[in-house]
Amino acid sequence: MSANVAEIIVETLQSAGAKRCYGVVGDTLNHFTDALRQSDIQWIGVRHEEVGGFAAGGEAYMTQELALCAGSCGPGSLHFVNGLFDAHRNGSPVLLIASQIGLSDTGSQFPQEVDQSAIFKQYSVFCETVVSAEQARRMAALAAQAALAKRGVAVLIVPGDVMTQTPDNQLGYRTHRFSYSLRPTAQALVPAVEQLNKGGNITIFAGAGCEDAREQVIALAEKLQAPIAWTSRAKDFIEHDNPYHVGMTGVYGLEGGYHAVAECDTLLLLGCNFAFSQFYPERATIIQVDQDPTHIGKRYPVDVGIVGSTRDTCEALSQVVKENTRSHWLEKCRKRYAKSLEKSAHQSRDSQVIHPQELTLAIDRHAAENAFFTADTGSVNVWMLRHIRASQQRRTLASLQHGTMANAYPQALGIQLAYPHRQVIAMCGDGGLTMLMGDLLTLVQQQIPLKIVVYNNSSLSFVELEQKVEGLLDAYTELKNPNFGEVATAMGLWGRRVEQEAELDVAISQWLAQPGPALLDVVVNPMELVMPPKVEAGQVASTALYSAKAVLSGRMDEVVHLVKSNFLKR
C-alpha cells in the first residue's frame, strides 16, 4: 500500500534526524499524529502549544538537531507563535507542521481558517504550503534542510485533505547537511592588522558567533593581551577557564566588562550583534568580524568590517598581528571585574531576607558540573548570567533576543527530554511560571525529572525597576501568589517552600536529589535592584523622584526597605 502525505513527511523528517514532536492532537492533525505513532519519533503531548514551541526550541538549541512541532488548523498552530518566534531568534533548528483546513475550503472564511503563511513568514527561514501529494517529500526535505543550515524555524503548512493523499510518483528527495569554513582574504585583513599593530588598549567583545571559536578567540587575546568582554549569548563559550574574560557590559553586565569596552582604544567585535548603542565606546576604532555581511555596522558605526567566521578570522589574525608584551590594560580590567563580581554577590545582614543573588550562588554550589540552566526574562535572567558559573560542560539558555516571559521551564522541558541523564534546572520568575503553569502536569504525566526553582518576590520585579528609574511609582506589578510548593505537590510534583536563609542549602540539596520533577519555591527579597555597571545621573534623579513620590503617597517603609536591601547589605 502506498504511503500517504502524512507518512511521507514523517519518514522524511525522521531521516533528517528528528527525534521528538511537540503539540496537541486533534482535527486536521490527526492523520499526521497517526503517522508519528507508527514511526520512531516520540510524540510529546503538551497542555498548551506555546510550551511545545519553547520546548522544541530548547531541545534544538542545545542539540543543534532538528526538533518538531505540530499544530491543528487555526488556533492550534497560532498558539505556537510566541514559543517559535523565540526559538527562531535563538537560532534553534525547529520545524513546525502547521496543518490547515482543506484546500477546497480555503479562501471562504471557513471556521478556523487562518492565513498561516502571512504570520510565520515574519520569523522563519522557510514557510511554504504543500498543495499536492507529489510535493510532500521534496518540501519536507527542503524545510528540514533550511532549518538546520540556517539555524531557525521552518514552517510546512499542510491542508488536512492533502494529508491523506498518495502521490502518483515521487523522486528521492532528502535533507542534506553541510560543514564549511568562511575565511577572509589576506587583503581583507590588512586594515584590521594595521590598527591592531598600533597597540594601546585593545578589547575583544565576543558574541554568539564565537560558539565554535573559543580556542581561537583566547589565542588572539593572548597575543594582543586584550581583555575579552562578552555578550550574554556568548557566556557558555567564553567565560569558563578563560584568564582574559572580564564579564559582560550592558544592563546585565558589571564594571569589568563595561569599562573594558567603554575605555578601549580599539574594539574588536567578534561574532557580536550587541544591540545597545549607549554601551559602545565613543572614540575607539572599531573592527567588526561577522559571517553575515548584513551585520557589519548594523548596531553601531564601525571603521573596519571583515566578512568571515570568527574561528577562521581569529586564526588568520593570530598569524600576522604583532605580539603585545604590555599587560597593564588587561590586568586593570581583570581587577575591576573581580571586584565588581564580589560586590554584586550581596551577602545579607538580615537572616530573615533571602537575596536572589544568594539563592543563585547556592544553586551554583550544589548544581552538577554538567548541568543545564534556563532562566525567565527579567531579573532572574540577570542573576543566572552573573552568578551561575560556566564550565566546559555547563550550558545556559534564556530568551535574550525575543525577551519573552514564561520561557524558562518550557525550554528546560525540551532540554531534559533530549538529555534525560543530565541535571536540568529552570530558574523561574513567579510571573513567568504562572503564565504557563498548566504544563507542570506534562512533567508529571511524562515523568520528566526537571528541577524548577521559583524566585518568588510577589511582583513583576524587572517592570518595577523600569518604572522606578523613570521616576514613576510602581503600579500594577504586584502578584498575589500561592505557596508554589503546595501547588506543585497537589499537581503530583515534589514541592517545598523556603522562607529563611538558613534553610537554603538543605532545601536545595533535597530538591536536586529528587528522582522525578521537583519544584522549590523560594521567597526572595522583593526590593532587590538589578544594578547596572554604570548608573546614569538621570537614573539617579528619576529614582530619587520615585522615592519622593513614594514618601508623599504614604509608602515610606518601601523606600527604607529599598535602601536597606541594596545599599546596606554588607
Side-chain angles (χ1 to χ4, degrees):
M1 185 175 179
S2 299
N4 63 26
V5 166
E7 292 164 340
I8 289 168
I9 291 174
V10 168
E11 176 196 335
T12 305
L13 298 181
Q14 182 173 308
S15 297
K19 291 182 172 60
R20 275 165 288 276
C21 184
Y22 302 84
V24 177
V25 298
D27 203 357
T28 51
L29 195 61
N30 286 332
H31 287 282
F32 180 78
T33 51
D34 188 63
L36 279 179
R37 179 182 58 81
Q38 302 171 67
S39 75
D40 293 331
I41 297 175
Q42 183 184 9
W43 173 258
I44 307 297
V46 293
R47 303 303 175 103
H48 193 300
E49 286 95 344
E50 184 178 353
V51 170
F54 281 127
E59 174 188 336
Y61 180 84
M62 291 303 178
T63 64
Q64 282 306 303
E65 295 290 341
L66 189 67
L68 307 179
C69 296
S72 57
C73 62
S77 292
L78 283 179
H79 279 155
F80 279 109
V81 167
N82 192 51
L84 291 181
F85 271 43
D86 180 75
H88 182 71
R89 300 188 79 171
N90 278 338
S92 302
V94 175
L95 195 155
L96 168 67
I97 300 297
S99 66
Q100 180 61 291
I101 63 169
L103 277 177
S104 59
D105 292 314
T106 300
S108 66
Q109 296 185 334
F110 196 80
Q112 296 191 318
E113 181 179 4
V114 171
D115 185 354
Q116 294 168 330
S117 179
I119 294 167
F120 287 108
K121 275 191 174 179
Q122 297 176 65
Y123 276 95
S124 62
V125 296
F126 181 101
C127 184
E128 299 294 342
T129 301
V130 178
V131 296
S132 72
E134 285 70 27
Q135 284 186 308
R137 188 177 302 278
R138 181 183 189 180
M139 300 297 279
L142 292 177
Q145 187 166 305
L148 289 163
K150 296 183 178 181
R151 294 179 65 165
V153 169
V155 179
L156 196 60
I157 302 167
V158 188
D161 52 358
V162 175
M163 284 279 193
T164 58
Q165 295 176 8
T166 57
D168 293 329
N169 57 75
Q170 55 178 319
L171 298 176
Y173 292 100
R174 62 186 178 88
T175 297
H176 296 271
R177 306 181 76 154
F178 310 94
S179 177
Y180 56 91
S181 63
L182 187 59
R183 191 180 184 94
T185 65
Q187 189 61 34
L189 294 175
V190 170
V193 173
E194 290 177 347
Q195 177 61 34
L196 294 170
N197 283 346
K198 291 178 182 179
N201 297 340
I202 301 171
T203 294
I204 291 173
F205 195 8
C210 297
E211 179 178 1
D212 62 350
R214 168 185 160 78
E215 293 180 8
Q216 291 76 16
V217 172
I218 293 176
L220 182 59
E222 181 179 10
K223 195 160 188 182
L224 297 173
Q225 288 297 290
I228 305 174
W230 39 272
T231 67
S232 50
R233 296 174 70 214
K235 175 183 174 74
D236 293 2
F237 324 119
I238 297 298
E239 181 185 26
H240 68 88
D241 303 318
N242 182 351
Y244 302 96
H245 97 85
V246 292
M248 297 176 293
T249 186
V251 175
Y252 295 168
L254 296 170
E255 292 176 24
Y258 171 80
H259 288 288
V261 171
E263 298 174 5
C264 66
D265 301 317
T266 301
L267 182 65
L268 178 56
L269 303 173
L270 298 177
C272 177
N273 195 26
F274 185 71
F276 302 98
S277 60
Q278 67 268 35
F279 291 100
Y280 283 86
E282 295 179 2
R283 290 177 291 276
T285 298
I286 301 179
I287 303 166
Q288 183 175 4
V289 177
D290 204 288
Q291 64 183 11
D292 186 342
T294 67
H295 285 179
I296 302 294
K298 181 178 182 179
R299 301 303 186 186
Y300 198 78
V302 302
D303 300 282
V304 179
I306 300 174
V307 177
S309 73
T310 302
R311 182 189 185 96
D312 294 311
T313 306
C314 285
E315 280 184 350
L317 287 173
S318 293
Q319 293 170 12
V320 294
V321 295
K322 292 179 181 177
E323 185 172 1
N324 183 8
T325 58
R326 297 179 66 252
S327 61
H328 172 74
W329 169 242
L330 171 63
E331 291 169 359
K332 179 180 179 181
C333 293
R334 288 282 292 170
K335 286 178 181 177
R336 268 180 169 163
Y337 173 63
K339 183 177 180 180
S340 60
L341 186 63
E342 181 184 4
K343 181 180 177 182
S344 71
H346 290 318
Q347 294 178 349
S348 177
R349 293 177 174 180
D350 186 354
S351 62
Q352 302 301 308
V353 174
I354 300 174
H355 290 283
Q357 300 95 317
E358 294 175 298
L359 169 58
T360 309
L361 288 166
I363 293 170
D364 180 69
R365 289 195 303 271
H366 290 276
E369 281 302 305
N370 66 346
F372 293 92
F373 301 86
T374 62
D376 272 334
T377 297
S379 56
V380 179
N381 182 34
V382 180
W383 311 137
M384 180 187 76
L385 290 169
R386 288 183 180 179
H387 302 300
I388 293 295
R389 286 179 302 108
S391 73
Q392 190 172 0
Q393 292 182 289
R394 281 184 172 184
R395 294 296 307 276
T396 61
L397 175 60
S399 181
L400 294 166
Q401 293 285 83
H402 192 47
T404 181
M405 291 176 64
N407 59 285
Y409 97 80
Q411 288 173 331
L413 185 158
I415 297 169
Q416 186 72 84
L417 285 168
Y419 297 93
H421 303 299
R422 287 176 64 175
Q423 192 177 76
V424 182
I425 297 172
M427 301 165 61
C428 298
D430 44 5
L433 177 75
T434 51
M435 189 175 282
L436 287 174
M437 196 158 59
D439 269 277
L440 293 178
L441 294 169
T442 301
L443 302 180
V444 176
Q445 183 167 336
Q446 300 279 351
Q447 274 304 291
I448 302 170
L450 179 62
K451 304 300 180 281
I452 296 172
V453 57
V454 185
Y455 286 65
N456 188 347
N457 53 20
S458 298
S459 70
L460 300 173
S461 59
F462 207 77
V463 179
E464 282 192 3
L465 175 62
E466 293 170 345
Q467 293 173 343
K468 288 170 183 175
V469 298
E470 291 180 19
L472 304 173
L473 281 175
D474 50 293
Y476 313 123
T477 58
E478 182 181 0
L479 301 175
K480 186 173 179 61
N481 290 331
N483 180 322
F484 289 114
E486 293 180 352
V487 171
T489 301
M491 297 176 81
L493 295 85
W494 177 93
R496 178 174 173 177
R497 182 181 177 95
V498 178
E499 298 180 355
Q500 303 291 326
E501 183 187 9
E503 302 172 3
L504 262 185
D505 281 301
V506 171
I508 290 172
S509 294
Q510 187 181 15
W511 164 62
L512 292 177
Q514 298 305 309
L519 184 148
L520 187 65
D521 178 18
V522 183
V523 179
V524 296
N525 179 27
M527 286 293 176
E528 202 72 36
L529 293 179
V530 174
M531 302 297 286
K534 182 182 180 182
V535 180
E536 302 288 347
Q539 294 172 326
V540 175
S542 295
T543 305
L545 178 60
Y546 149 77
S547 300
K549 288 180 179 178
V551 170
L552 292 174
S553 299
R555 294 164 60 176
M556 178 67 180
D557 57 329
E558 292 184 15
V559 177
V560 172
H561 192 182
L562 183 74
V563 173
K564 284 184 176 180
S565 293
N566 295 280
F567 305 105
L568 300 175
K569 292 180 179 177
R570 291 187 178 276

